[in-house]
Amino acid sequence: MDFDSPHLPRRTFLRGAAGVAVAGGAGLLLAKAAEAQTAPRIYSCAEWGARPPADALTTLDHPANRILIHHIASANSTDYSLAHAFQVARDDQHDHMDNNGWSDTGQHFTVSRGGYRLEGRHGSLDALRGRTTMIQGAHCPGQNTNAIGIENEGTYTSVEPPEAQWASLVVFCAYICRQYGISPDEIKGHRDFYNTECPGDRLYAKLPQLRDEVRASM
């Protein structure tokens, strides 16, 4: 419809413009609703009771282009509760700040053995939702300005992660790939870029499967 036409009655014009505005608004709401439905539940730093960062964190003016998979190298707990997941996040932050001397949790996100997803480094969740920036991490030298680090609770040198954790990790990686436009081929392990056993032989061996499952779910 040509809204600049001199032959269009004013009342018709106003009705038409209002209809387009309503339709546009409805489309925006539907788009936001669809995005909300595809976004997995991620618990923020505030929700699990994080300490404030010791120093100001750096927001980088570009999206991430890679995901790095880690394991915490912690006990393979059979407590799969949300309360336990929160405690894991707090313990990890204490270790990174008090023992490593870092400003905050080193990785951007954590996945508990019960499958709960948690923000690690402050600001990472907002950056992920915004899609255009990322928080500089401290999870792998040479990768902290471009890769999203995901710690997985547990030690996976001789056992595989439990199904709930694995399924949650697949969903989470797919969401991160969609948000940042990352190819599933860029889901890598910590040891690919650093001399470490992380993320453990058994979890590392599953990374091709992780890439395939993420690709299939996108």
Side-chain angles (χ1 to χ4, degrees):
M1 181 180 294
D2 182 5
F3 286 150
D4 293 326
S5 171
H7 305 295
L8 190 66
R10 175 174 173 80
R11 184 172 298 173
T12 302
F13 169 80
L14 290 175
R15 279 202 298 263
V20 170
V22 170
L28 182 60
L29 289 174
L30 287 172
K32 288 185 176 180
E35 182 179 356
Q37 288 177 351
T38 60
R41 178 68 164 101
I42 306 164
Y43 291 89
S44 69
C45 288
E47 287 178 300
W48 58 259
R51 294 158 53 183
D55 306 290
L57 303 179
T58 300
T59 300
L60 302 168
D61 193 24
H62 60 75
N65 63 8
R66 180 172 293 134
I67 297 173
L68 279 197
I69 303 299
H70 304 259
H71 70 174
I72 294 179
S74 58
N76 290 326
S77 174
T78 56
D79 184 346
Y80 302 133
S81 68
L82 179 60
H84 173 76
F86 283 7
Q87 188 60 54
V88 167
R90 289 190 291 267
D91 290 345
D92 212 23
Q93 186 189 41
H94 293 329
D95 179 47
H96 289 180
M97 293 179 70
D98 299 337
N99 296 328
N100 294 357
W102 297 345
S103 299
D104 196 1
T105 304
Q107 76 277 3
H108 298 91
F109 300 100
T110 302
V111 180
S112 76
R113 281 174 56 82
Y116 292 104
R117 294 169 289 260
L118 307 100
E119 182 180 31
R121 179 157 281 220
H122 283 79
S124 298
L125 183 53
D126 282 343
L128 176 61
R129 288 169 173 164
R131 309 178 70 178
T132 60
T133 64
M134 66 173 288
I135 303 299
Q136 183 169 321
H139 59 97
C140 179
Q143 295 295 306
N144 291 318
T145 60
N146 67 290
I148 295 296
I150 302 179
E151 286 271 20
N152 292 275
E153 178 197 0
T155 300
Y156 299 113
T157 55
S158 59
V159 298
E160 294 185 356
E163 181 56 35
Q165 186 176 38
W166 177 259
S168 179
L169 181 62
V170 171
V171 169
F172 199 9
C173 286
Y175 176 64
I176 294 172
C177 285
R178 288 195 302 270
Q179 289 297 99
Y180 280 134
I182 299 172
S183 167
D185 293 333
E186 289 300 325
I187 300 174
K188 306 289 187 179
H190 189 184
R191 67 173 65 178
D192 288 327
F193 299 94
Y194 193 69
N195 183 20
T196 175
E197 294 184 1
C198 182
D201 289 346
R202 298 296 291 273
L203 180 52
Y204 185 76
K206 287 176 71 70
L207 293 187
Q209 179 184 343
L210 179 61
R211 289 189 280 266
D212 287 344
E213 290 189 25
V214 167
R215 186 177 294 107
S217 68
M218 292 179 64

